[in-house]
């Protein structure tokens, strides 16, 4: 079966970047990894490119996370982001607000178990229950339950971050 | 029908009812149209779902799509070439798998010391010999530091003399080589749950002991935290052995059973399997736990498949669970792991990326994990076969 890579690229790349961004929390890195996943897909030409791309992207994000932990790069990352904010004063409020929101969403997502988070992010990136089940190693019938729990916990954790902000 | 569960409500909201097994989509829709209580819960589920969408949607990354042709050019130009420390770690991980597989093979043969060269010698085809030679050169080309020279030398030695590797299908060996060379693959950090098999004797091969010791000491041969390079020795060695030489594991497991006066048998029922294999651990008494005795059949042995082994898990986060190995019709190994109530699957390490798919499903108050060199769909079919027998 021949794959129309133009269609796959147009339909999947945005979802892949969205998925990866919530994994690595760096827009440029997310785009780099999405492109890397596509480069590999173009080399391997898998029969089910979308599922394949998400699987590779998840692996790349996990490797990335381990590398970050190993090298303690997050310290540098936060520093450079702060510098970026200071460098563009006119957009400061918008950026602070966006950054604040990102930090809160990140904190809320990190409060979930790995499995709940993976399933939620795959669903958020537009994967079907069947595709999510295949990638997460769960039965299709367990996806709804997992998503219900993940959504509830995400909302609760997000509200908790609001309380922390108010307390400050 | 009874009221609709929260999971089904979310599947309904996601438009995924028709993807669910069981063909209950229409009856769920009918019920939701008539039941006031479920309608209220549907509204609550919808609010939670909408909130999650709003939270996640609040941080959309800007999109910058390079032309597809740029990626095509990169794909045509790029050659997979692991570099630097991470590449070395991946290859070291592969080397570790070889040594661990050899070590596990030795252990599964009941602790009997069998020189590697005597393990089912076979004629090694020239193509495979060439591949092994290139693999040896690959290993020899590692940028060995003073600290990991011994490790590499051991891996090379194991690779060049191991008939376990030589018995693997050529394609499988090639996949292993490619996996070792590909940055996308994991190192050996994804261990399967511990199975309580982790015992060493004075006769344990020195190479295997070296890996175990270094993993337990928390520092690997290259001075990095062991978790980044080395797996839990026996957890991973088991799965890697399946990946490299399923026949070797099957034969070795069978020899262990025979040595213990048991024999691999075709399972006709889970109850028979339980009774035949005396699942109860030696330190167990019915007084301590009357719910677990020989007569209780575990409902996760597939009838009609040869039973290779069944064992209690006595340590680690999965303690109290049961691990079953069965042989599928084509000789592949099916691993079934039942985690008892109270064990959270999230506490387990992720599945090792050894090419085997896995599914997890709630079962008997606990969880059933099923893994084999099959697609997820095929595993789900096996699950249905299990359900049908029950």
């Amino acid at each position: 079966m021949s794959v129309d890579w133009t269609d796959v690229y147009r339909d999947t790349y945005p979802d892949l970047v969205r998925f990866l961004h919530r994994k690595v929390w760096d827009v440029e890195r997310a785009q780099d990894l999405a492109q890397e996943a596509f480069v590999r897909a173009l080399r391997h030409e898998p029969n089910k490119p979308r599922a394949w791309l998400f699987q590779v992207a998840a692996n790349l994000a996990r490797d990335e996370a381990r590398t970050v932990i190993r090298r303690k790069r997050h310290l540098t990352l936060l520093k450079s982001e702060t510098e970026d904010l200071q460098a563009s004063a006119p957009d400061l409020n918008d950026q602070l607000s966006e950054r604040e929101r990102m930090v809160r969403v990140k904190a809320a997502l990190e409060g979930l178990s790995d499995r709940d988070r993976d399933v939620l992010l795959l669903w958020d990136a537009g994967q079907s229950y069947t595709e999510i089940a295949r990638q997460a190693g769960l039965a299709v019938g367990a996806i709804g339950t997992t998503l219900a729990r993940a959504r509830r916990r995400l909302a609760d954790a997000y509200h908790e971050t609001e309380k922390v902000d108010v307390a400050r | 029908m009874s009221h609709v569960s929260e999971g089904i409500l979310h599947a309904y909201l996601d438009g995924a009812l028709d993807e669910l097994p069981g063909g209950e989509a229409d009856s769920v829709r009918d019920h939701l149209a008539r039941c006031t209580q479920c309608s209220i819960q549907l509204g609550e589920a919808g609010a939670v779902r909408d909130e999650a969408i709003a939270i996640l949607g609040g941080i959309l990354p800007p999109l910058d799509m390079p032309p597809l042709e740029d990626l095509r050019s990169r794909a045509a130009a790029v050659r997979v070439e692991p570099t630097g420390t991470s590449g070395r770690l991946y290859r070291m991980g592969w080397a570790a798998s070889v040594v661990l597989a050899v070590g596990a093979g030795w252990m599964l043969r009941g602790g009997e010391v069998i020189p590697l060269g005597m393990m089912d010698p076979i004629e090694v085809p020239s193509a495979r010999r060439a591949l092994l030679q290139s693999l040896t050169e690959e290993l020899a080309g590692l940028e060995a530091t003073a600290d990991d020279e011994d490790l590499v030398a051991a891996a090379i030695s194991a690779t060049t003399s191991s008939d376990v590797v030589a018995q693997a299908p050529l394609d499988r060996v090639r996949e292993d080589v490619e996996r070792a060379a590909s940055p996308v693959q994991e190192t050996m950090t994804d261990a399967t749950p511990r199975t309580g098999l982790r015992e060493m004797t004075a006769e344990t091969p020195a190479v295997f002991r070296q890996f175990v010791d270094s993993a337990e000491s928390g520092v690997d041969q290259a001075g990095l935290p062991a978790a980044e390079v080395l797996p839990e020795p026996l957890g991973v060695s088991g799965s890697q052995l399946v990946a490299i030489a399923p026949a070797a594991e099957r034969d070795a497991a069978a020899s262990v059973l025979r040595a213990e006066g048991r024999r691999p048998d075709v399972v006709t029922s889970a109850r028979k399997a339980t009774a035949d294999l005396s699942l109860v651990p030696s330190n167990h008494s019915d007084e301590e736990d009357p719910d677990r005795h020989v007569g209780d059949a575990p409902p996760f042995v597939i009838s009609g498949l040869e039973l290779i082994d069944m064992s209690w898990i006595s340590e680690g986060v999965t303690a109290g669970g049961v691990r079953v190995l069965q042989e599928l019709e084509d000789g592949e190994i099916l691993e079934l792991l039942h985690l008892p109530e109270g064990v959270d699957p999230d506490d387990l390490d992720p599945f090792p990326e050894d090419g085997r798919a896995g599914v997890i499903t709630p079962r008997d108050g606990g969880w059933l994990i099923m893994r084999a060199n099959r697609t997820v769909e095929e595993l789900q079919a096996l699950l249905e076969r299990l359900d049908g027998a029950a």
Side-chain angles (χ1 to χ4, degrees):
Chain A
M1 186 184 73
S2 76
V3 173
D4 185 336
W5 283 100
T6 306
D7 285 349
V8 172
Y9 185 55
R10 186 189 59 235
D11 296 342
T12 309
Y13 183 82
D15 292 340
L16 212 54
V17 171
R18 181 182 171 104
F19 173 70
L20 284 163
H21 182 239
R22 284 150 178 71
K23 291 270 190 181
V24 299
W25 300 103
D26 182 279
V27 175
E28 284 185 12
R29 200 65 198 124
Q31 294 189 346
D32 284 349
L33 294 180
Q35 288 167 26
E36 175 63 21
F38 264 97
V39 168
R40 293 182 187 205
L42 289 165
R43 274 208 311 268
H44 287 86
E45 299 193 337
N47 290 328
K48 295 179 178 176
R50 186 177 169 90
W52 195 94
L53 281 161
F54 272 91
Q55 184 69 60
V56 169
N59 290 341
L60 288 172
R62 193 159 49 202
D63 286 355
E64 173 81 2
R66 286 174 177 160
T67 305
V68 168
I69 290 169
R70 263 201 303 272
R71 297 177 185 171
K72 305 291 184 190
R73 255 179 48 186
H74 61 289
L75 295 175
T76 311
L77 203 63
L78 291 175
K79 182 167 171 279
S80 65
E81 284 174 358
T82 308
E83 286 169 352
D84 288 346
L85 291 179
Q86 288 169 349
S88 51
D91 298 330
L92 191 59
N93 286 339
D94 285 349
Q95 289 190 28
L96 273 177
S97 170
E98 190 175 329
R99 166 144 184 77
E100 203 173 87
R101 197 161 50 235
M102 193 174 87
V103 167
R104 288 176 55 197
V105 174
K106 183 181 178 187
L109 279 171
E110 284 176 349
L112 305 183
S113 69
D114 288 347
R115 181 169 292 111
D116 285 2
R117 184 169 54 244
D118 282 348
V119 169
L120 183 63
L121 293 182
L122 286 168
W123 169 79
D124 178 61
Q127 296 286 81
S128 69
Y129 274 32
T130 306
E131 289 167 333
I132 295 170
R134 187 183 296 120
Q135 184 158 342
L138 288 166
V140 176
I143 300 301
T145 308
T146 307
L147 272 176
R149 182 176 59 234
R151 287 163 173 163
R152 205 174 340 101
R153 289 182 178 172
L154 177 75
D156 290 346
Y158 191 76
H159 291 148
E160 282 300 313
T161 63
E162 275 179 338
K163 289 178 190 170
V164 171
D165 281 353
V166 170
R168 285 175 187 163
Chain B
M1 68 178 288
S2 57
H3 292 302
V4 179
S5 71
E6 188 184 24
I8 301 287
L9 290 176
H10 279 256
Y12 174 82
L13 291 165
D14 291 334
L17 269 189
D18 293 322
E19 291 184 64
L20 303 183
E24 296 180 3
D26 288 339
S27 58
V28 169
R29 290 189 186 98
D30 288 345
H31 181 85
L32 288 174
R34 289 182 286 103
C35 177
T36 310
Q37 186 179 337
C38 286
S39 295
I40 293 170
Q41 289 185 340
L42 182 65
E44 291 170 356
V48 171
R49 179 178 179 273
D50 290 345
E51 193 166 11
I53 290 171
I55 291 169
L56 293 172
I59 49 163
L60 291 177
L63 199 58
D64 176 20
M65 283 182 77
L68 180 59
E69 282 313 308
D70 288 0
L71 302 183
R72 284 190 201 278
S73 301
R74 279 174 59 186
V78 172
R79 178 170 165 262
V80 178
E81 190 77 37
T83 57
T85 304
S86 62
R88 187 169 61 83
L89 291 180
Y90 291 123
R91 288 178 291 183
M92 296 270 287
W94 189 92
S97 75
V98 172
V99 177
L100 289 169
V102 174
W106 175 87
M107 293 186 75
L108 287 169
R109 283 175 180 263
E112 182 185 357
V113 179
I114 302 172
L116 289 169
M118 294 175 63
M119 291 173 67
D120 305 319
I122 59 170
E123 182 68 25
V124 180
S126 58
R128 181 169 296 158
R129 195 183 296 279
L131 186 60
L132 287 171
Q133 178 61 34
S134 70
L135 176 60
T136 305
E137 290 167 1
E138 171 88 357
L139 286 166
L142 296 177
E143 296 172 10
T145 65
D147 287 335
D148 62 24
E149 276 177 358
D150 292 344
L151 183 66
V152 174
I156 293 170
S157 170
T159 305
T160 52
S161 60
S162 169
D163 283 330
V164 175
V165 174
Q167 287 175 18
L170 183 57
D171 288 345
R172 184 67 59 77
V173 175
R174 181 175 287 118
E175 284 171 14
D176 285 337
V177 174
E178 289 174 355
R179 186 177 299 133
S182 170
V184 73
Q185 293 296 335
E186 300 294 328
T187 58
M188 301 282 295
T189 54
D190 291 338
T192 48
R194 296 175 194 171
T195 60
L197 290 169
R198 188 174 171 175
E199 293 175 4
M200 288 193 295
T201 69
E203 295 173 339
T204 305
V207 168
F208 188 53
R209 178 179 292 279
Q210 183 180 17
F211 274 93
V212 175
D213 288 345
S214 60
E216 288 179 338
S217 69
V219 178
D220 82 298
Q221 302 297 316
L224 294 169
E228 301 204 2
V229 179
L230 295 170
E232 284 290 335
L234 277 177
V236 165
S237 66
S239 64
Q240 290 297 318
L241 190 64
V242 171
I244 294 174
E249 175 170 288
R250 188 173 65 248
D251 293 347
S255 73
V256 170
L257 289 178
R258 288 192 193 97
E260 294 174 0
R262 299 184 275 165
R263 64 185 181 83
D265 202 358
V266 173
V267 180
T268 53
S269 75
R271 183 174 296 276
K272 177 178 182 299
T274 317
D276 285 352
L277 291 174
S278 301
L279 262 178
V280 179
S282 58
N283 60 354
H284 173 80
S285 73
D286 286 353
E287 289 72 25
E288 292 170 358
D289 185 359
D291 292 334
R292 286 182 186 161
H293 54 80
V294 173
D296 280 342
F300 44 86
V301 174
I302 298 180
S303 298
L305 293 182
E306 184 177 329
L307 181 70
I308 296 173
D309 196 16
M310 189 185 291
S311 57
W312 283 91
I313 301 168
S314 59
E315 64 176 40
V317 295
T318 58
V322 175
R323 181 173 184 253
V324 173
L325 295 180
Q326 290 191 266
E327 182 179 334
L328 296 168
E329 284 82 355
D330 62 355
E332 291 285 350
I333 303 294
L334 172 70
E335 181 182 13
L336 295 136
L337 185 69
H338 186 261
L339 308 180
E341 191 172 358
V343 174
D344 186 347
D346 288 329
D347 292 339
L348 305 179
D349 291 322
F351 289 150
E353 296 190 4
D354 55 7
R356 292 192 296 161
V359 295
I360 301 177
T361 188
R363 176 64 56 115
D364 297 331
W367 293 85
L368 181 66
I369 299 175
M370 187 183 267
R371 300 193 67 223
N373 190 12
R374 288 285 193 276
T375 65
V376 169
E377 289 79 5
E378 289 169 331
L379 288 180
Q380 287 168 340
L382 283 169
L383 200 58
E384 287 171 13
R385 192 167 153 186
L386 194 60
D387 291 337

